[in-house]
Amino acid sequence: MSEIVVTLPDGSELHMESGSTVEDVAFEIGPGLGRDTVAGVVDGDLVDKDTPLSDDCRLVIVTPQSDDYLSVLRHTGAHVFAQALQRIHPEAKLTIGPWTDDGFYYDITGVELDSDDLRAIEAEAETIIAEDYEVERTELSREEALSLYEDNPYKLDILETEAAGDDPLSFYEQGEFKDLCKGPHLESTGEIGAFKLLNISSAYWRGDEENDTLTRVYGTAFKSEKDLTKFLEQREEAKERDHRKLGQELDLFSIPEVTGPGLPLYHPNGKKILQQLEGYGQSLNESFGYDYVETPHLFRTELWKQSGHYDNYVDDMFLLDVNDEEYGLKPMNCPGHATIFKQGSWSYRDLPVRYAENGKVYRKEQRGELSGLSRVWAFTIDDGHLFVRPDQIKSEVEDTMDLIFEVLETFDLEYKVALATRPEKSVGSDEIWEQAETQLESVLDESGIDYRVETGDGAFYGPKIDFSFEDALGRVWDGPTVQLDFNMPERFDLTYTGEDNEDHRPVMIHRALYGSFERFFMVLIEHYNGKFPFWLAPEQVRILPVSDDNIPYAKELKHRLGDFRVTIEDRSWTVGRKIQQAHTDRVPYQIIIGGDEEADRTISVRDRKERDRNGVELAEFQAHLESEQEEKRLEPDFLA
C-alpha cells in the first residue's frame, strides 16, 4: 500500500500506510494514547477515530482531556435527546442534531413541545444515560437508508444532497435508536456525566425562510454535574447581562418591528457611546497615517462583479432596479477603497497608502438568524485597507497588530490569536503565498504571543491573522482581523511604478480594529454589564440637588463641568430615590448638593460602587475626571 505523512501538532511527522485510521496513528504514538483516543481532528475537521486517512494530513488526537472532547460528548448528547424524544413521541420526525459551542440542538417536526415535555424527555434521557448503551457505528446501503426514512422528507433531503453518492452510508446506533450521522461519538451513553435540556425555539429547514418551520430544542452536556452547574450559573448571569435587555433598560438602542428586521436604531445614549468608539478609533488610525475616505451605500453591481463579491454574495445582497440598471447596497467597503486607489497614479515611494472608513454595509441574513446587535442587516465596519509593496507586508502587519493589541487591552478583553493559512481554492502564486504566510508567522513569533495555526482556513485571496476575544463570562466572539489580499489588486488592475520604472501589483491588507461596531458594542454592553468606563459612559456625572432651591447651583456646576456629559436630576424626588435611580442607570459619578455644599462652594461625590465623600472642591474633582477620561480607566476611581 502507498504511504502517507501524518503531521502532528508538535510538527513531527509519522509515515503511515494509506488507509490507517486515526486510532491506528494514536497506537503508533503509544498504547496509552491509543486506548484513550475518542476522535481526531483531521485538517481541522472533527472525525470518528475509525476514519481512514488516505492522504497526507495534519492530525490532532482527541482524548477526554482535549478541548474537542466536549464536542464529541455533546454530539452523543444530541442522539440521547433524539432517542428519548422518540420513546415518548414516536410520531416526531428528526432532521439534524449538531453540537454547538455551548451544547447541541436538534431540529424536529411532527410534535408540539412545551416545558413539561422537556422535563419528561430529560428524565428519559437520564434513563438512557444510566442504561449505558454502547454507541456503534454501522453502515447501511443507500437502498436501506431510503427505506428507513421513507416517511421523513428531511432525512431524504439529506440523503439526496449532503450524502449524495455515498454508499454505504454511516449510521450510529445505541439501543433501539439509529440515526444517519458521520459522527464522532462517545463509545457509550454512560460516558455523559451531566445532561440538560435548555429551551425551545423555531428554525427554518436549511436556514431558509422559504422552507418549513421546525421546532429546535437546545440542550447541553458535560463531563460532570459540577461543570453543568457552573455553566447554568453563567447562563443565568448572561441573561442579566443580555445586551437586548440592557439596551432597553439603559435606552441605548431599539429594533422596532416597523423599521424592519436587523435594522437597529441608536438612541442618544447609544450614539454617545458609539461616538466615543469612533473618536478613539479615529485617533489611532490618524496616529498611524491613515487617511479617511467615504464611499456610498449603493453601487452599480458591475463593481461587485469586478471584485468577485457578486458571485459569492449575491444571495445575501439587497438589490435594486434603477432605470433598468441593477444596483446593490454594499455588503463590504473594500471594492470602493480599491476603486479610489485606482484613480491615482502611484510610485513605489508613495506606498503604503492607508485608507480608513467607518462604512455602513448591508447583508441580507436569514430572519431566523437575526439577534439583537450580534446579527443584523445593517452594520458599520471600522474598515481599513492598506495598499503595500510586498516588502512592506511585515512592517505594516506589525503596526496593525500593535493597533489591535492596544484596542483589546484598552477594553480589558482577553483574546486568542490564530494564523489561517492557504485553502485549497485560492488565487496567487505559490511564491507570494509562501512569502505572505512566512511574514505573518514571523510577526506572530516575534510578538511572543501564543497562537494556533488553522491550516487551510485562510481567505481564498490570502492568509490572515484572526483575533477572538472572551468577555466577562468567558464567551468567545470573533473580533479584529488582518488579511492579506492578492485577488482584489488583480481584479481591479491596481499598479504602482517600481524602482525599475515598471508596473507592479500592490498587495492589499484588510483590517478592522473592532470588527463591526454593532457586535463590538454588544460585547461591551454585556462585558461591562452596562457599567461603562467613565470615558465611554453616555452620562458621566449626574447632579442631584437636595431641593429645588439648589438647582441654580446645580446649573452652575454643570456649566463648569462643560467638557463632560453631565445631567441634572431635577425631578421632585427624595434624595434617596434620586441616588437609587442613578445607581440603577449605572452612572459613574453622582454629585449631591444641598444647603451646606452650596454655602461652602463644595460638592459631595458618590460613585456607582456606593462610595462617597463630602466637602470636595470642584477643581479637585474636575482634574481627576480629566485624567480618568484621558487614561481611559476601566472603573471610576476618584473614591478608591
Side-chain angles (χ1 to χ4, degrees):
M1 295 182 68
S2 61
E3 198 174 70
I4 61 171
V5 178
V6 179
T7 303
L8 302 175
D10 62 0
S12 61
E13 296 180 347
L14 284 179
H15 293 262
M16 303 289 297
E17 285 187 354
S18 178
S20 299
T21 66
V22 169
E23 190 174 39
D24 291 336
V25 175
F27 272 108
E28 182 70 18
I29 297 171
L33 182 62
R35 288 190 295 270
D36 289 344
T37 297
V38 176
V41 180
V42 179
D43 290 335
D45 294 327
L46 187 59
V47 300
D48 191 283
K49 66 180 180 180
D50 293 325
T51 298
L53 308 175
S54 56
D55 298 303
D56 294 351
C57 63
R58 290 182 175 271
L59 173 64
V60 180
I61 303 296
V62 177
T63 70
Q65 289 71 47
S66 305
D67 291 340
D68 288 300
Y69 178 76
L70 270 181
S71 298
V72 182
L73 184 149
R74 287 165 176 168
H75 197 193
T76 306
H79 279 214
V80 168
F81 158 76
Q83 183 177 8
L85 171 71
Q86 293 206 309
R87 282 185 176 182
I88 298 174
H89 296 284
E91 72 278 14
K93 285 184 170 57
L94 304 175
T95 66
I96 58 171
W99 70 82
T100 67
D101 289 342
D102 292 332
F104 63 85
Y105 68 80
Y106 217 116
D107 288 346
I108 63 171
T109 188
V111 62
E112 292 186 8
L113 301 178
D114 58 23
S115 56
D116 288 337
D117 292 311
L118 286 195
R119 283 191 286 272
I121 296 167
E122 186 176 296
E124 188 63 35
E126 296 287 359
T127 299
I128 293 168
I129 292 169
E131 289 169 345
D132 195 18
Y133 289 111
E134 184 178 357
V135 181
E136 296 182 281
R137 183 182 182 276
T138 61
E139 292 183 343
L140 296 182
S141 69
R142 175 166 292 277
E143 184 178 350
E144 290 172 317
L146 290 171
S147 175
L148 180 66
Y149 290 128
E150 61 183 358
D151 294 328
N152 189 326
Y154 307 100
K155 293 292 190 182
L156 291 177
D157 187 14
I158 294 171
L159 289 171
E160 293 169 3
T161 54
E162 296 174 30
D166 292 348
D167 195 357
L169 293 152
S170 172
F171 280 75
Y172 281 81
E173 293 185 44
Q174 54 200 49
E176 80 286 357
F177 179 75
K178 179 186 297 183
D179 202 8
L180 174 69
C181 183
K182 292 183 178 180
H185 287 283
L186 301 177
E187 291 190 349
S188 74
T189 60
E191 293 181 36
I192 297 175
F195 181 93
K196 181 72 176 175
L197 295 182
L198 301 172
N199 60 282
I200 305 169
S201 68
S202 60
Y204 296 112
W205 174 239
R206 301 290 195 190
D208 187 339
E209 59 190 18
E210 300 297 322
N211 290 338
D212 294 346
T213 300
L214 308 174
T215 297
R216 177 167 291 180
V217 179
Y218 286 95
T220 193
F222 285 89
K223 296 180 186 179
S224 68
E225 288 290 343
K226 180 181 178 182
D227 290 341
L228 174 61
T229 299
K230 180 180 178 182
F231 166 80
L232 294 175
E233 290 172 351
Q234 288 182 328
R235 193 165 180 265
E236 285 304 308
E237 185 177 355
K239 288 180 182 178
E240 290 302 310
R241 290 173 177 255
D242 190 311
H243 75 286
R244 293 164 296 186
K245 173 177 175 288
L246 291 174
Q248 181 177 2
E249 292 176 357
L250 300 178
D251 198 22
L252 302 176
F253 71 93
S254 62
I255 308 178
E257 187 69 27
V258 69
T259 65
L263 301 170
L265 303 177
Y266 291 105
H267 299 198
N269 282 348
K271 184 59 180 177
K272 286 170 185 172
I273 296 173
L274 288 177
Q275 285 174 322
Q276 301 310 308
L277 294 175
E278 291 165 359
Y280 175 51
Q282 183 168 338
S283 68
L284 293 175
N285 284 329
E286 291 178 347
S287 69
F288 276 74
Y290 284 79
D291 290 314
Y292 270 83
V293 298
E294 185 172 326
T295 57
H297 297 244
L298 191 70
F299 287 101
R300 293 174 63 233
T301 52
E302 290 304 311
L303 179 75
W304 308 113
K305 292 174 183 177
Q306 184 175 357
S307 69
H309 290 107
Y310 193 88
D311 292 338
N312 295 306
Y313 282 92
V314 65
D315 291 337
D316 297 322
M317 289 179 65
F318 293 94
L319 301 176
L320 303 170
D321 189 317
V322 182
N323 297 327
D324 295 327
E325 278 194 292
E326 189 178 50
Y327 283 74
L329 292 174
K330 61 178 178 178
M332 49 193 62
N333 302 299
C334 36
H337 292 190
T339 304
I340 293 173
F341 183 88
K342 175 73 173 175
Q343 309 308 304
S345 178
W346 306 97
S347 161
Y348 70 94
R349 295 187 184 91
D350 300 317
L351 271 56
V353 172
R354 309 179 186 94
Y355 293 148
E357 177 183 14
N358 294 326
K360 182 78 75 177
V361 298
Y362 304 84
R363 297 181 191 173
K364 191 169 59 176
E365 305 279 4
Q366 296 292 334
R367 291 190 182 215
E369 297 176 346
L370 301 174
S371 177
L373 298 179
S374 64
R375 203 76 177 266
V376 291
W377 273 358
F379 56 97
T380 305
I381 302 176
D382 67 314
D383 243 336
H385 293 100
L386 301 87
F387 303 87
V388 306
R389 304 190 309 263
D391 63 288
Q392 295 172 323
I393 291 174
K394 184 172 182 291
S395 62
E396 290 302 310
V397 171
E398 287 175 337
D399 285 348
T400 303
M401 295 273 286
D402 287 343
L403 281 171
I404 291 172
F405 288 145
E406 182 168 343
V407 168
L408 296 177
E409 290 166 7
T410 293
F411 294 100
D412 190 34
L413 294 168
E414 297 291 331
Y415 53 83
K416 294 181 179 179
V417 184
L419 171 62
T421 61
R422 186 175 190 172
E424 288 187 18
K425 293 183 179 180
S426 58
V427 297
S429 69
D430 292 342
E431 180 184 0
I432 290 179
W433 271 89
E434 183 177 353
Q435 180 186 19
E437 289 180 0
T438 299
Q439 288 176 315
L440 293 185
E441 189 174 10
S442 175
V443 170
L444 290 170
D445 289 340
E446 291 177 15
S447 70
I449 63 173
D450 292 329
Y451 68 93
R452 65 186 185 278
V453 176
E454 295 182 341
T455 305
D457 205 34
F460 72 93
Y461 49 73
K464 57 180 180 171
I465 298 172
D466 285 331
F467 289 75
S468 60
F469 43 76
E470 288 189 9
D471 63 14
L473 297 178
R475 296 171 300 180
V476 179
W477 304 92
D478 291 335
T481 185
V482 186
Q483 304 176 354
L484 300 187
D485 185 352
F486 312 115
N487 179 57
M488 195 88 64
E490 186 73 30
R491 283 181 171 269
F492 282 84
D493 192 26
L494 305 183
T495 62
Y496 66 90
T497 303
E499 286 186 89
D500 57 3
N501 213 32
E502 298 290 333
D503 283 345
H504 294 266
R505 193 77 72 201
V507 177
M508 193 171 174
I509 299 177
H510 306 246
R511 51 105 279 198
L513 305 182
Y514 299 139
S516 80
F517 279 95
E518 281 69 17
R519 179 168 290 182
F520 196 77
F521 190 18
M522 174 211 74
V523 170
L524 294 185
I525 293 171
E526 299 190 0
H527 183 65
Y528 296 131
N529 195 18
K531 298 176 182 178
F532 296 102
F534 177 77
W535 72 277
L536 269 183
E539 182 184 0
Q540 296 174 305
V541 180
R542 184 178 295 180
I543 302 174
L544 313 181
V546 172
S547 72
D548 289 350
D549 293 340
N550 307 122
I551 289 178
Y553 184 44
K555 290 180 177 178
E556 177 188 337
L557 294 173
K558 179 179 178 181
H559 177 73
R560 292 172 65 183
L561 292 170
D563 291 338
F564 304 99
R565 296 181 288 283
V566 182
T567 63
I568 298 173
E569 178 56 89
D570 57 4
R571 285 176 285 192
S572 299
W573 289 353
T574 64
V575 174
R577 185 177 178 187
K578 291 179 179 181
I579 290 173
Q580 181 57 49
Q581 187 60 51
H583 182 73
T584 299
D585 293 340
R586 296 164 168 79
V587 181
Y589 289 108
Q590 305 161 38
I591 292 177
I592 303 170
I593 53 170
D596 292 342
E597 285 83 7
E598 187 167 357
D600 296 338
R601 310 300 291 172
T602 60
I603 58 175
S604 293
V605 179
R606 183 182 178 89
D607 66 18
R608 65 181 172 216
K609 292 189 174 183
E610 302 183 12
R611 299 173 294 197
D612 52 45
R613 179 177 149 198
N614 302 324
V616 176
E617 297 290 337
L618 182 64
E620 178 192 359
F621 183 55
Q622 189 171 14
H624 175 86
L625 296 185
E626 290 171 355
S627 63
E628 188 172 321
Q629 178 158 279
E630 178 67 24
E631 296 172 16
K632 295 181 171 56
R633 298 175 200 162
L634 293 170
E635 289 287 352
D637 59 1
F638 179 70
L639 301 171

